[in-house]
Amino acid sequence: MEFLDRYQQIVADAIAKYTFKDKPTELYEPMNYIISHGGKRLRPIMVLMACDLFGGNLNEAIKPALAIEFFHNFTLIHDDIMDEAPLRRNKPTIHTLHGINVGILSGDGLMLKAYKFFEDLEPETFKACIRIFTHTGLLLCEGQQYDINFETQENVTFDDYIRMITYKTGVLSASSFEIGALIAKANFKDAKAIFNFGKHIGIAFQIMDDYLDVFGDQAQFGKKHAGDIYENKKTVLYLMAREHATEEERKELDYWYSKKTDNIDKVYGVEKIFRRTKVDEKALRLIEKHNEIGQSYLQKIDIPDEKKKPFAELANYLLRRES
């Protein structure tokens, strides 16, 4: 997808331009470290794509796009600390290299630097974007807390899970598209349509993340295999397995999810139940369902289909990651 390469290059050039040279280096070097690893930089690309879709000036969107990328990486640093994760994008996590205190401070620094990147916007657009950005941050915190709660909460419903991943993952993609649309002066209806497109693609993306955690290729995925099982995370795989398990299998799941242990028998036992209940197939169908809902919102935008084609391609690309 050539359009994706073009946007990635714009983001990469902007990140290089705004590399932190501030002091103390003990604070800023870890910030540069996580930003430089990049990943696919999807959220800033979403800002740029939406700005382009509605005929905006891409130069006005570059710094807000970086704000989204910095904010996203702030959440990853803190998420890794909470999960005690050793790897991120196949590299050692910041708290593993520099300790938890530096991890917390570097994350905080990235979040505050993110806010500064909205300062060049004209007042009305600035107010609208900051309102969305701040609300998104609060929802993400709520989603993270729900995720933590689920580890010890006995009864987690499917709706609870969807709300959690919507807040934790879906709204950041949604808001990235909406902020790009607002910078381009899109009308309210179209801005909300692109928001909802992003929300459902984000939900599908997180379900795919849960799927790949267990059924993906660890080398390609860049994270510890079955980390969610070790951490007792009640993902969609767990919820579907409980729904379709036998009474004996439910008891076994309850047993393993009452212990936070690196015991390989735990992973083996849980994976065996996941495979027997075919949650891999069920999760992939759910991913496709949210992709279709997202595409339906995209179709509501009154812009020629040719201009919307990259969005459909992006969604399909995100949801067909290596497994």
Side-chain angles (χ1 to χ4, degrees):
M1 293 189 296
E2 288 181 16
F3 76 91
L4 200 58
D5 293 338
R6 182 172 70 88
Y7 288 122
Q8 281 179 329
Q9 191 59 53
I10 292 170
V11 174
D13 290 345
I15 284 172
K17 180 179 177 181
Y18 293 104
T19 296
F20 300 118
K21 299 179 178 67
D22 315 55
K23 305 283 187 189
T25 55
E26 292 83 359
L27 172 67
Y28 288 101
E29 280 185 4
M31 292 159 64
N32 286 329
Y33 171 80
I34 193 165
I35 293 291
S36 69
H37 290 164
K40 296 183 179 69
R41 293 172 173 155
L42 299 170
R43 283 96 186 160
I45 286 171
M46 290 171 182
V47 177
L48 300 179
M49 286 180 68
C51 184
D52 252 354
L53 178 68
F54 296 106
N57 180 347
L58 218 55
N59 288 328
E60 291 178 17
I62 288 172
K63 287 174 80 172
L66 283 192
I68 296 289
E69 179 68 358
F70 284 14
F71 178 81
H72 174 58
N73 280 277
F74 141 68
T75 68
L76 298 182
I77 294 172
H78 285 197
D79 204 27
D80 288 339
I81 291 171
M82 285 182 260
D83 288 346
E84 300 176 4
L87 293 176
R88 166 72 61 182
R89 299 165 183 152
N90 271 329
K91 303 278 187 183
T93 47
I94 283 178
H95 70 275
T96 303
L97 292 172
H98 302 283
I100 289 173
N101 290 348
V102 170
I104 292 169
L105 279 174
S106 296
D108 293 346
L110 275 176
M111 179 185 68
L112 294 166
K113 287 284 191 181
Y115 271 94
K116 290 183 67 62
F117 274 125
F118 288 102
E119 291 174 353
D120 292 348
L121 295 174
E122 57 188 60
E124 283 305 307
T125 307
F126 172 82
K127 281 168 63 178
C129 289
I130 287 294
R131 185 174 65 247
I132 292 164
F133 188 66
T134 303
H135 184 58
T136 297
L138 288 169
L139 287 179
L140 199 143
C141 290
E142 291 175 20
Q144 179 71 357
Q145 186 62 57
Y146 282 127
D147 196 19
I148 293 167
N149 291 354
F150 290 175
E151 291 178 25
T152 53
Q153 187 177 319
E154 281 191 23
N155 297 312
V156 177
T157 68
F158 182 75
D159 288 344
D160 290 337
Y161 166 83
I162 292 295
R163 176 179 61 181
M164 183 272 288
I165 65 168
T166 300
Y167 288 6
K168 191 175 171 182
T169 303
V171 293
L172 188 56
S173 298
S175 298
S176 299
F177 282 128
E178 187 176 17
I179 284 170
L182 290 176
I183 291 169
K185 305 292 190 294
N187 64 48
F188 179 82
K189 175 178 155 290
D190 285 344
K192 281 302 164 192
I194 201 70
F195 173 92
N196 282 312
F197 166 76
K199 182 177 80 171
H200 284 281
I201 297 308
I203 290 169
F205 186 82
Q206 182 58 51
I207 296 170
M208 178 61 88
D209 224 46
D210 293 352
Y211 168 87
L212 290 174
D213 180 77
V214 176
F215 298 106
D217 181 328
Q218 184 189 356
Q220 302 235 359
F221 194 39
K223 293 182 185 177
K224 178 180 177 180
H225 172 69
D228 290 343
I229 295 175
Y230 285 117
E231 294 293 323
N232 296 335
K233 291 196 179 291
K234 295 184 173 73
T235 66
V236 70
L237 304 180
Y238 167 87
L239 294 172
M240 287 176 167
R242 270 194 69 82
E243 183 184 349
H244 297 281
T246 63
E247 186 61 33
E248 187 179 333
E249 287 170 333
R250 271 195 289 274
K251 285 179 182 174
E252 186 177 350
L253 283 173
D254 290 343
Y255 170 76
W256 287 123
Y257 276 75
S258 69
K259 300 173 179 297
K260 209 164 188 179
T261 171
D262 275 1
N263 188 337
I264 193 66
D265 291 339
K266 173 179 180 175
V267 174
Y268 177 76
V270 171
E271 280 192 17
K272 187 174 67 174
I273 296 170
F274 282 1
R275 291 182 190 282
R276 198 206 64 75
T277 52
K278 294 185 167 60
V279 295
D280 51 340
E281 296 172 17
K282 294 177 175 65
L284 291 173
R285 282 198 294 272
L286 190 60
I287 289 164
E288 193 52 45
K289 173 190 165 188
H290 280 282
N291 186 17
E292 287 170 4
I293 295 171
Q295 302 287 351
S296 73
Y297 278 106
L298 187 62
Q299 294 313 310
K300 292 178 182 178
I301 299 171
D302 189 20
I303 279 176
D305 285 347
E306 191 60 32
K307 289 195 74 174
K308 291 186 281 190
K309 190 177 174 186
F311 291 79
E313 288 179 9
L314 176 67
N316 291 327
Y317 164 71
L318 294 180
L319 303 178
R320 281 162 178 77
R321 290 181 286 166
E322 292 297 330
S323 59

